[in-house]
Amino acid sequence: MIIEIRAKNCFAFEDEIAFSMKADMRNKKFATNVHKENNFNVLKTVGIYGPNNTGKTCLIKCIRTIKEVFLNKKNRLMPNIFTENSICELGVTFMASRKKYSYDFKYDTEKEEYIYESFSEIFKDQYNNEKEVCWLKKDIISEIYECIDEDVQNMIPVVSKNNLLCYVIDTSKFEHLSKMKQILVGFAKKIDIINMNNIPMQHTIELMKNKNQSQDKVVEFIKNADLYMDNFEFVDMDKIRLEATEDDEKPEEKVLDIPENIMDQIRLVSTYRGVHVPSMLFDSTGTKKIAAIASYVIEALEQGRILIVDELDSSIHFKLTRAIVTMFNNELNANAQMIFTVHDINLMDCKRIFRKEQIWFVHKDEEGVYVYSLADFTAKQGVRDTTDVMEKYRKGALGALPDPELMNSLLSIKSNAKGDDADDK
């Protein structure tokens, strides 16, 4: 599970930001929203609010980059465009196999080199104080090289810098470095990142092909989300009814406008009052998105995965997004986690759904981009667990709220239109 994401000079973030999933256990409200393990307390869900083009998606890009780097894939790191600094810094603290680890790296985008790496295991003592044990530290600029495997320490300065250390030497010969690689890869493989405006159906199709309990749960999830649907299944081609009329419209989103010759897509069939119809041709955009995300949600809950969703509320009714979040917050969820960006303020509910530290904001002004939690606001500032947070947000008291001057645009348009009419006369 993710505990904290750190970034500096990455994408929209010029100054250092820290996004935390730590639970503040001084607050006993909604205790089921917290995963407790080895005296560490981690939030199961976090929702991120903010106007368009402020940095919400950039935070998800940071998580995606960490995943790609850990899996030895080409990273797509880009420094902030308003700085001449070519060095991007990323870090993550996470839980894996009941233990807490921290990994940070710095990447020079001009030289395409990893100039800094640090990996530590974090323990808690009997007094609840945290202690870090360094497994690896590679700091090329300061020429500091440390490794818990002593034989590796002398090798660090002379090996290639174009990748993480665990990918440029044979780790099988070194106990701790080999274990570190396994930990990083295992953590990265548990992360699923999706954008609801560009969500593939293939993941659900692959799960629907296999007759098992997960498939049954996905079908129930979709049926419960669409009250008019009798069934949802993956069928043989001879069971498909293709009787589209001229009035039938294709989905508006290009990503969901799947070519009809892709048979796997066509074989997804929805049933309404006993009538079988191809889901991709007949179902609404919202229903298709529910079908696409269903497999990710079910697998996350069953396998303890980390689901990252950009624009969770895109084309989905607010009651459904609320239900998805509640599934992750539920006490039956042992170790799955969901982080999502959202605009729907109906989810911003500290009375029924969230703890204060589960609501985050991304705010942007001329000075920079800021990432902060609702928990950063104190009772003295008028924010309590019983506060109507939605109303506070609407009034701009929490920041991260667009201030569009649309009325000025409308008046300008109307003024120009009147001027054109006068010229015509």
Side-chain angles (χ1 to χ4, degrees):
M1 301 183 83
I2 292 174
I3 299 176
E4 184 177 88
I5 298 292
R6 299 172 290 279
K8 182 178 181 181
N9 194 34
C10 296
F11 308 112
F13 309 118
E14 180 179 358
D15 297 324
E16 185 174 1
I17 61 101
F19 168 75
S20 175
M21 300 285 289
K22 294 178 184 177
D24 183 357
M25 297 314 292
R26 292 174 299 179
N27 181 2
K28 304 302 180 183
K29 190 174 183 181
F30 297 133
T32 60
N33 295 13
V34 179
H35 172 76
K36 303 178 182 70
E37 190 171 1
N38 265 3
N39 292 323
F40 297 110
N41 302 295
V42 188
L43 298 171
K44 296 179 181 178
T45 64
V46 160
I48 307 167
Y49 286 85
N52 295 321
N53 198 33
T54 55
K56 300 190 304 297
T57 299
C58 286
L59 186 55
I60 290 179
K61 283 183 179 179
C62 290
I63 300 174
R64 185 189 299 277
T65 301
I66 290 171
K67 174 180 178 176
E68 290 171 344
V69 169
F70 286 2
L71 294 178
N72 197 27
K73 296 182 180 180
K74 182 175 176 59
N75 77 61
R76 290 171 277 183
L77 267 174
M78 184 176 73
N80 185 273
I81 61 175
F82 299 109
T83 178
E84 296 180 359
N85 184 5
S86 65
I87 298 174
C88 300
E89 303 180 25
L90 278 175
V92 59
T93 303
F94 61 96
M95 293 288 296
S97 302
R98 297 179 55 82
K99 294 183 179 180
K100 183 177 178 180
Y101 301 97
S102 178
Y103 197 98
D104 292 86
F105 64 87
K106 298 178 185 179
Y107 181 75
D108 190 325
T109 56
E110 286 185 358
K111 297 180 180 179
E112 297 186 348
E113 293 180 347
Y114 290 87
I115 62 171
Y116 179 91
E117 288 182 68
S118 176
F119 180 76
S120 299
E121 183 175 357
I122 302 170
F123 301 91
K124 273 193 176 182
D125 62 22
Q126 57 182 330
Y127 304 108
N128 218 31
N129 298 314
E130 292 192 354
K131 176 185 177 182
E132 288 194 24
V133 175
C134 177
W135 286 33
L136 170 69
K137 187 169 185 179
K138 180 186 79 173
D139 188 340
I140 292 175
I141 303 301
S142 301
E143 296 186 342
I144 298 174
Y145 308 104
E146 300 175 11
C147 186
I148 197 169
D149 291 312
E150 294 181 1
D151 293 338
V152 175
Q153 190 159 318
N154 294 330
M155 299 172 56
I156 299 176
V158 296
V159 298
S160 171
K161 308 178 190 69
N162 63 0
N163 213 329
L164 299 187
L165 183 68
C166 63
Y167 284 110
V168 294
I169 66 174
D170 183 1
T171 59
S172 65
K173 301 182 183 300
F174 308 102
E175 178 186 356
H176 290 89
L177 205 61
S178 175
K179 186 177 179 182
M180 182 191 82
K181 183 178 180 180
Q182 293 174 7
I183 291 168
L184 296 180
V185 170
F187 166 69
K189 284 184 175 180
K190 281 194 170 186
I191 301 174
D192 294 314
I193 304 174
I194 56 176
N195 185 325
M196 288 300 289
N197 290 320
N198 192 20
I199 181 171
M201 187 68 79
Q202 195 59 38
H203 194 265
T204 292
I205 288 173
E206 293 303 319
L207 193 147
M208 293 293 291
K209 286 180 179 180
N210 303 314
K211 303 290 184 182
N212 54 37
Q213 290 184 347
S214 293
Q215 182 200 57
D216 294 338
K217 291 175 183 177
V218 168
V219 172
E220 284 303 308
F221 182 98
I222 298 169
K223 285 167 59 180
N224 290 332
D226 188 329
L227 300 180
Y228 301 99
M229 184 185 291
D230 298 331
N231 199 13
F232 185 86
E233 55 191 325
F234 185 80
V235 302
D236 294 331
M237 284 301 297
D238 58 359
K239 295 183 180 179
I240 296 176
R241 174 183 176 182
L242 293 170
E243 296 179 2
T245 66
E246 294 182 358
D247 295 330
D248 288 326
E249 296 182 357
K250 293 292 183 66
E252 292 181 4
E253 284 82 2
K254 182 179 179 181
V255 67
L256 295 175
D257 190 5
I258 306 297
E260 295 181 9
N261 62 349
I262 301 180
M263 292 299 103
D264 275 355
Q265 306 278 352
I266 300 299
R267 290 170 65 185
L268 282 180
V269 169
S270 302
T271 304
Y272 298 93
R273 289 189 289 181
V275 178
H276 304 284
V277 296
S279 172
M280 299 306 296
L281 299 181
F282 287 83
D283 284 338
S284 70
T285 296
T287 296
K288 283 191 283 289
K289 288 187 177 183
I290 282 290
I293 196 176
S295 55
Y296 289 99
V297 171
I298 296 303
E299 281 196 348
L301 292 169
E302 285 193 331
Q303 301 174 17
R305 300 183 66 80
I306 303 166
L307 181 58
I308 316 292
V309 187
D310 200 4
E311 305 284 359
L312 175 64
D313 54 335
S314 174
S315 299
I316 296 181
H317 194 276
F318 78 89
K319 285 192 174 182
L320 296 180
T321 56
R322 196 179 181 106
I324 292 172
V325 172
T326 301
M327 291 173 72
F328 280 84
N329 280 339
N330 194 280
E331 62 184 346
L332 296 178
N333 170 25
N335 52 3
Q337 193 177 46
M338 183 170 70
I339 300 169
F340 58 94
T341 68
V342 64
H343 292 283
D344 182 9
I345 63 173
N346 286 290
L347 275 176
M348 197 182 289
D349 189 346
C350 287
K351 296 180 180 179
R352 301 175 186 84
I353 302 178
F354 285 132
R355 301 162 62 92
K356 285 173 63 177
E357 64 265 35
Q358 289 181 280
I359 298 176
W360 279 73
F361 303 97
V362 179
H363 180 77
K364 183 179 181 181
D365 62 20
E366 293 180 355
E367 300 298 321
V369 179
Y370 311 91
V371 180
Y372 55 95
S373 167
L374 182 64
D376 293 332
F377 294 88
T378 65
K380 289 183 179 180
Q381 294 169 307
V383 179
R384 299 176 175 83
D385 292 332
T386 56
T387 299
D388 187 340
V389 180
M390 289 179 270
E391 187 61 23
K392 283 275 186 185
Y393 184 61
R394 286 193 192 100
K395 291 180 177 180
L398 306 177
L401 191 67
D403 188 20
E405 297 184 356
L406 296 181
M407 187 55 68
N408 290 340
S409 299
L410 176 60
L411 292 174
S412 175
I413 293 168
K414 294 295 289 183
S415 176
N416 291 338
K418 287 179 180 180
D420 292 340
D421 290 342
D423 291 341
D424 291 340
K425 292 178 180 178

